Amino acid sequence: MTVAGGLTSGSGLNQLCIPVDMFVDSNDAIYIADFFNQRVIKWDKDASQGYIVVGSNEKVNQIDQLHYVTAMFVDSKENIYVSDNYNHRIQKWTKNSKNGETVIGKSGRGNSLNQISNCWGLYVDKKFNVYVSEHSANRVTKWSPGAETGKIIAKVGKPIDIYVDESNDDLYVASYQEDSILHFNTDGILIHKIGKGVLKHPYGFAIMPGSDPTNPTVIIADSEQQRIVKMNMNDPKTITIIAGSINTSGKDPNEFNEPRRVRFDSKGNLLVLDSNNNRVQKLLIKNNNCNIYY
């Protein structure tokens, strides 16, 4: 079912225009990085439209505006972190603030450790460290609160979506270049790689809640093949298609047009950011078992 957007592309509060990232909070509200509308829009659970929490429809570099939003994250204090991509910075909006603060990227675009280059994934941990997926710099960097420079924690070909397992600080990364989901330990050493040869340009993924921590189940937006799939980190090739039609794009309820992100809500249902259809689709999962849908 469609739970956000789904109409024609546009800038209305009930519309989206090529959304590229999303975050789902504990109340099942959905925050959406609305790329061409230069904004983050929030849809409360069961709402028929959203409301703007960050940005506007103008492409500028002022403290209250953005120029193409490519990634976002909401921390435990409801602060919103946004990749303001064409301004080469990460902006932080404190709860209910009208203006953003530049917390990363004060020195412009580049590959130095006080710069970022083309961020397409963000993660903020409970200690408020910010992890940045730098697509053009082929790296993931970690920035401590208030730091002027970051630390390279993994080198990855064209990284996009990222996730940190805070029980051990292991890092998971979707690599657009390697067509894989990669798992690194805290020393930046690659432990697992899944999907090589079966995925094609995966944009996003999510670790399934309650899965075995020694062999996590990963739900993947296999973007260019127009499908959502399931894989286990210890099994690099076995793949289960759970939604979509391989290599066939469409706008019917069982079809996608470049799905870019997948996230779980508080009930264990799966949300899919169906980017080129300008909508978020919700798949109800029976008994939290990804093998059975209704």
Side-chain angles (χ1 to χ4, degrees):
M1 64 183 71
T2 300
V3 293
L7 305 174
T8 56
S9 174
S11 59
L13 293 178
N14 60 349
Q15 295 176 303
L16 300 168
C17 190
I18 312 298
V20 294
D21 198 5
M22 69 176 171
F23 182 93
V24 183
D25 70 13
S26 59
N27 296 316
D28 292 336
I30 308 169
Y31 296 76
I32 302 170
D34 197 9
F35 184 78
F36 279 113
N37 282 325
Q38 326 298 333
R39 67 188 184 184
V40 174
I41 189 166
K42 180 180 179 181
W43 291 63
D44 291 327
K45 183 180 178 181
D46 299 326
S48 59
Q49 67 179 34
Y51 52 95
I52 299 170
V53 291
V54 168
S56 66
N57 290 325
E58 298 182 56
K59 298 180 286 187
V60 290
N61 62 356
Q62 304 303 309
I63 58 173
D64 62 337
Q65 294 172 315
L66 304 165
H67 193 169
Y68 293 137
V69 183
T70 49
M72 50 84 55
F73 195 93
V74 182
D75 72 14
S76 59
K77 293 184 177 180
E78 298 185 50
N79 302 312
I80 304 172
Y81 298 75
V82 180
S83 170
D84 184 13
N85 203 37
Y86 274 39
N87 289 321
H88 318 303
R89 63 187 182 180
I90 306 301
Q91 296 290 92
K92 176 184 175 183
W93 265 260
T94 57
K95 185 178 179 180
N96 299 324
S97 174
K98 300 297 183 182
N99 297 320
E101 171 195 3
T102 302
V103 292
I104 295 172
K106 297 176 184 178
S107 300
R109 183 178 185 177
N111 295 334
S112 298
L113 288 178
N114 64 343
Q115 299 173 306
I116 60 172
S117 185
N118 198 10
C119 167
W120 278 84
L122 285 172
Y123 187 93
V124 183
D125 66 20
K126 293 177 182 177
K127 297 178 180 178
F128 304 104
N129 299 301
V130 182
Y131 298 77
V132 182
S133 172
E134 298 188 52
H135 188 76
S136 295
N138 299 303
R139 67 189 187 188
V140 177
T141 50
K142 178 180 178 180
W143 300 70
S144 301
E148 296 294 330
T149 60
K151 175 185 177 182
I152 299 172
I153 59 171
K155 294 184 178 180
V156 181
K158 306 299 181 187
I160 305 181
D161 203 9
I162 54 177
Y163 168 76
V164 178
D165 182 348
E166 296 188 47
S167 68
N168 54 20
D169 287 337
D170 282 6
L171 173 71
Y172 295 80
V173 186
S175 172
Y176 188 89
Q177 178 175 297
E178 299 187 37
D179 293 327
S180 303
I181 307 299
L182 310 179
H183 176 198
F184 297 88
N185 66 16
T186 55
D187 296 319
I189 298 172
L190 181 64
I191 303 173
H192 299 105
K193 176 192 287 190
I194 60 169
K196 187 70 174 179
V198 294
L199 300 176
K200 192 170 183 181
H201 296 163
Y203 263 88
F205 66 94
I207 305 297
M208 187 172 173
S211 61
D212 182 356
T214 65
N215 183 25
T217 299
V218 187
I219 307 301
I220 305 165
D222 191 15
S223 301
E224 201 158 309
Q225 298 191 87
Q226 315 298 343
R227 62 185 184 175
I228 308 302
V229 302
K230 179 176 74 170
M231 300 188 73
N232 288 352
M233 288 307 303
N234 291 344
D235 192 347
K237 296 290 185 181
T238 303
I239 194 167
T240 302
I241 301 173
I242 60 175
S245 302
I246 183 169
N247 293 323
T248 302
S249 64
K251 59 183 179 181
D252 288 341
N254 62 336
E255 296 176 316
F256 302 108
N257 190 347
E258 197 164 334
R260 293 190 186 228
R261 292 290 195 270
V262 288
R263 299 289 185 257
F264 287 97
D265 69 11
S266 64
K267 306 298 184 185
N269 300 307
L270 185 66
L271 299 174
V272 180
L273 187 67
D274 188 13
S275 188
N276 289 354
N277 281 325
N278 302 296
R279 65 186 181 182
V280 177
Q281 296 289 87
K282 181 178 180 179
L283 285 74
L284 300 178
I285 300 180
K286 185 176 180 180
N287 296 325
N288 287 335
N289 185 333
C290 276
N291 292 319
I292 304 172
Y293 283 79
Y294 66 88

